[in-house]
Amino acid sequence: MMWRTILLRYCFLLVSCLLTAIEAVPIDVDKTKVKNNQPVDSAKIEPPDTGLYYDEYLKQVIDVLETDNHFREKLQKADIEEIKSGRLSKELDLVSHHVRTKLDELKRQEVARLRMLIKAKLDSLQDTGIDHHALLKQFDHLNHLNPDKFESTDLDMLIKAATSDLEHYDKTRHEEFKKYEMMKEHERREYLKTLNEEKRKEEESKFEEMRKKHENHPKINHPGSKDQLKEVWEETDGLDPNDFDPKTFFKLHDVNNDGFLDEQELEALFTKELEKVYDPKNEEDDMVEMEEERLRMREHVMNEVDANKDRLVTLDEFLKATEKKEFLEPDSWETLDQQQLFTEEELKEYENLISLQESELKKKADELQRQKEELQRQHDQLQAQKLEYHQVVQQMEQKKLQQEIPPSGPGGELKFQPHI
């Protein structure tokens, strides 16, 4: 289980680093002095969502591979280059039949899920005559040419796809946040246009007041600096700041005891700093901005500390970072409210894009309305024809009843009743 989270987050690229850490001499920490000291069972720690659209499939494949002793042994002996090059994937041919059968079933389920997504998308676009099989090519985390069998090619593609996607995940989050901020400003300006001059001035004054209130917060310690870590040591861990020790600090915050500070464990260190700026009870504080601030802090510390850029911080990397001048005398940290998140040109371009999208949506809405009206017209026409037909049938039945037709005999001859 110790390498499971690493596999999940970084898709097998960091396993050799993990194995090195497992063999390292543990650091003795007196956790009796730490507040809220709770034993952590790493087996019970749920791996975080990677944010990938095939996250569940990735987790399930890892769960199954983890049960094969042969593959686990080969993984422990593999270096990063073997994993990255795909040579480790060839070992899949040697796993047990039971494991291969489970992997085959997982792949069939994933292919079925993707086909369902494709069908739902095409149905929404009302496209017909599309080769659904060809559309599976757009998903590069599995081999679509063999939808029934999980092969070494599938493992290789899953590793490479997840690695590439995770590398771009933070960039995508920043882009989405920027769009979020521009949409906020766009909506604010559009709302102001609906107000008269007096109301508009009141709203602008309120906006400015909230902005200043948000900016009025205590000093933010530079993420990863001695001051910042000592504050966590004192306020979160409940230890004497005069006893601050980097080795002990690392051990305390390596929550799953795997020998690394991963991205989630690093982000947890910034909670105290973020609470100085953001409070969910305050109208002026945006929690989406808080998470963006957390992400930027983590990226900054990773860039400063993570020497081999494997998205994990080892004890050695951590201790070397504490010896740098920046650790003791860091520059001031600029929060989001001190930065320009977008330019007027970018906002204008974004508004043009929104306008174009709204125009396209209006066209589709108008077309749907036209189709609805046409269907209603056809329905009304059918109802009118049905009514007309019903009336004709009734008229024919009435005419038939009104006619006096003499009764006929067994041979079809007319049969007259004698008058008395």
Side-chain angles (χ1 to χ4, degrees), residues 345-362:
E345 290 76 14
E346 288 174 325
L347 179 59
K348 184 65 177 177
E349 183 179 347
Y350 183 66
E351 288 179 327
N352 290 338
L353 177 62
I354 292 174
S355 178
L356 181 62
Q357 291 174 341
E358 289 176 345
S359 177
E360 290 297 322
L361 287 174
K362 187 176 184 306

Side-chain angles (χ1 to χ4, degrees), residues 317-334:
E317 288 173 329
F318 184 77
L319 294 179
K320 286 182 178 179
T322 63
E323 298 171 358
K324 297 179 180 179
K325 179 182 178 183
E326 292 80 1
F327 179 72
L328 299 174
E329 301 175 8
D331 297 329
S332 60
W333 177 257
E334 287 190 353

